[in-house]
Amino acid sequence: MTTPSHAQSHPHYHINGKRPGVNWAATIKDAGLAAFVALLLTVPLVGLRTVDRPTGLGIEARPEEVIASILLVFFGRLGLGLIRQGMALPVLILALVCAGVGLVLPMPTQVLRLVLVLGGGVIALRAAMTVATGRSKLSQADRDKRMDRIAAKVQHASRYIGPVAVAFAVVLPFTPLADRMLLDIGILLLTYIMLGWGLNIVVGLAGLLDLGYVAFYAVGAYSYALLAHYFGLSFWLCLPLAGLLAACSGVLLGFPVLRLRGDYFAIVTLGFGEIIRIILVNWYQFTGGPNGISGIPRPSFFGIADFSRTPAEGMAAFHELFGLEFSPLHRIVFLYYLILALALVVNLFTLRVRKLPLGRAWEALREDDIACASLGINRTNMKLAAFAIAAMFGGFAGSFFATRQGFISPESFTFIESAIILAIVVLGGMGSQIGVVVATLLVIGLPEAFRELADYRMLAFGAGMVVIMLWRPRGLLAHRDPTILLHGGKTPAATGAAK
């Protein structure tokens, strides 16, 4: 039995071992056909927009967006065609140049900047992978094996990446780049990271698909707002109470759904989230109904000082206490460090509990529910513990959200929030802590990066989701090391990563 030679197996070579020339006619024809299809789609979807005018509703043409979309598709398809014909390195260089030009040089429109940066970055990534692997196209199995090795390396390197990332987050407010917008984005990212880590306990560790996690988020937010409104309690007293009430709601949800599995379980949790939202909307006398609750008190500096210029009687001013010039940014920086500390507490708890009997029971429940019961593990208590702990962390995040915004309403706790948090957990890799961080940067940070392009923020979000699901359906960092290894052995993925 003969084995094929390298020239026969490699897609870039003929049988005689010589690299064929680029078929420019077929490549350009393919790119032109893709651009024509893009033209048919973008003219009605992007090129025309309804606008309000004094005379009534009108239609505004946007030819520059259509041209930019067609160019993006044409050059992207052209680049892919050249990569498949052995021109990966020149395409990589040109794509990096285009992305750099879009980032550095001023552009006449933001759409053109989007085309250069986003298109150049995607093509450069594709070309770089081809250059690194020496193959123009990978099968799904090969792709999964390579991503598993990368995920294993990232998981093992997270012990070094984590402290570096935390140190960067700590010093970020003191860097010259730190302004109000950057800190606000940092607070938003950390809030979703904390929610993702909380939901990861239920979905990633216990293997229970929860579609109503936003309900615990809402319970925590309204608990703090109502306790502060009716009883005048401070944030530091309401924070543990909000977590306790959210944990109780998690237990209340856990009891009725313990006998359900799979899709039925997910549907019930989805219904629970909608029930909470409807109660918040209809109980007008208690929750304010659709109008929400405004004037929620801001947190003080551990009850010692206030961040206002003229604090209430008996309370010192933060800037006077530390001899600083008054700045409204002080409160934002404090909120940033507060959510950073809360997120790190959730992370440390999750990392620690995975090594305890409770965490190992959750993983057993995730892998095989029937085998878990046969080992004598009380599945009821395990599920209730997972729901209660995850709900408590969601309540902490909700309490912070309420004091950060100063106003809450039922519109802040719709199903789309649960879907986003679940997408973060799944895309990052269920059970992966660092995967949640990476997915949050993509799912939340990517639309924020294109905030100036208001019409295209959700397009960027959807494109990122589609790319991830096509490239890595099981999640970016889906690799999970076993909690306990016999005789100090190594996992197969780790062994493969070391080779």
Side-chain angles (χ1 to χ4, degrees), residues 63-79:
E64 61 277 2
E65 279 83 352
V66 175
I67 295 174
S69 301
I70 295 173
L71 290 176
L72 177 61
V73 173
F74 177 81
F75 286 108
R77 190 70 179 179
L78 182 64

Side-chain angles (χ1 to χ4, degrees), residues 284-297:
Y284 186 85
Q285 295 79 4
F286 188 60
T287 64
N291 297 330
I293 302 175
S294 59
I296 300 175

